[in-house]
Amino acid sequence: NAGVTQTPKFQVLKTGQSMTLQCAQDMNHNSMYWYRQDPGMGLRLIYYSASEGTTDKGEVPNGYNVSRLNKREFSLRLESAAPSQTSVYFCASGIGGYTEAFFGQGTRLTVV
Amino acid sequence: GQQVMQIPQYQHVQEGEDFTTYCNSSTTLSNIQWYKQRPGGHPVFLIQLVKSGEVKKQKRLTFQFGEAKKNSSLHITATQTTDVGTYFCAGDQGGKLIFGQGTELSVKP
């Protein structure tokens, strides 16, 4: 009964490095989301996927790419990390935007 | 696009005092959701409101959805130290779940 699983939990990157944050859910949800959380800014939507094979930009998509590999998995890629991307990243899934979202434990990313 | 604004950003209360956070949207919402995030944790769903003027209660928590479906509030009666955390509202924008900035509640015993 894992729910939403994110890896890694912590990561330190140097400016310019690339990495992929992984997210998988076992609840057969159609919708998946990536958010970033910064102090005083709340949760800001980076990208959203309504179903397998579809993705859509959220509020802050610049500097990120996503891939909905299958119904279970939704990955977030930073091609060239910048210090401004230091944040806590949350993946979430749900039946749709009109129903509750289930969140993963988060990935704390630091870019130096 | 839709913006969801939440106030206040921080609230410090003495244990036993009441607490209220307010959420306002620039557009009419189809529904509003509320989440709680404990320090160091992840957001956890509390409730969803769908109908205009709807009021729902969960023990000491009372949730309201405005008549125009553009605003909502969460009221906690007689706060306890277990209420500490950040409370978020979220609205659906064409399938995307957009969150407010959150209200961080601290409770002094």
Side-chain angles (χ1 to χ4, degrees):
Chain A
N1 193 18
V4 179
T5 303
Q6 289 183 237
T7 54
K9 287 186 171 52
F10 301 93
Q11 183 72 50
V12 178
L13 288 179
K14 293 182 179 179
T15 298
Q17 285 185 320
S18 63
M19 82 159 293
T20 299
L21 280 62
Q22 306 287 351
C23 176
Q25 52 94 6
D26 61 3
M27 294 173 282
N28 202 35
H29 287 159
N30 288 323
S31 297
M32 295 188 75
Y33 315 84
W34 275 106
Y35 292 90
R36 61 176 290 173
Q37 184 172 31
D38 304 291
M41 304 294 288
L43 291 155
R44 292 184 291 170
L45 182 65
I46 305 172
Y47 268 94
Y48 158 70
S49 171
S51 61
E52 180 181 350
T54 68
T55 61
D56 197 5
K57 294 179 180 179
E59 301 166 281
V60 288
N62 291 345
Y64 305 95
N65 286 302
V66 289
S67 178
R68 184 74 183 268
L69 304 168
N70 47 56
K71 194 170 186 178
R72 288 187 65 247
E73 298 171 291
F74 188 37
S75 62
L76 178 71
R77 183 161 178 84
L78 288 70
E79 289 291 352
S80 179
S84 60
Q85 293 178 306
T86 293
S87 187
V88 180
Y89 291 85
F90 286 102
C91 176
S93 72
I95 298 173
Y98 48 88
T99 62
E100 70 177 287
F102 294 82
F103 282 78
Q105 299 295 319
T107 296
R108 187 172 296 274
L109 176 67
T110 302
V111 183
V112 297
Chain B
Q2 172 186 300
Q3 287 190 336
V4 180
M5 308 299 291
Q6 198 173 344
I7 57 169
Q9 189 172 355
Y10 302 98
Q11 186 77 56
H12 308 286
V13 300
Q14 193 78 32
E15 189 173 21
E17 291 181 338
D18 292 356
F19 159 77
T20 305
T21 174
Y22 300 91
C23 184
N24 293 287
S25 170
S26 56
T27 59
T28 302
L29 299 167
S30 58
N31 67 78
I32 190 88
Q33 299 176 21
W34 285 93
Y35 292 76
K36 177 182 178 181
Q37 183 179 25
R38 295 183 186 276
H42 60 280
V44 175
F45 175 82
L46 292 176
I47 208 162
Q48 177 174 276
L49 305 172
V50 178
K51 299 177 184 176
S52 169
E54 189 170 13
V55 178
K56 287 188 176 181
K57 292 190 176 185
Q58 288 180 350
K59 297 182 180 179
R60 294 178 294 103
L61 277 62
T62 302
F63 304 85
Q64 290 189 311
F65 202 9
E67 293 290 340
K69 300 183 75 173
K70 284 189 172 184
N71 57 76
S72 182
S73 65
L74 158 60
H75 180 83
I76 301 178
T77 303
T79 55
Q80 300 175 359
T81 54
T82 53
D83 296 324
V84 164
T86 302
Y87 293 84
F88 292 97
C89 62
D92 171 34
Q93 182 186 27
K96 302 176 188 179
L97 200 55
I98 303 298
F99 281 77
Q101 298 94 326
T103 296
E104 184 178 339
L105 172 65
S106 64
V107 180
K108 187 174 181 181

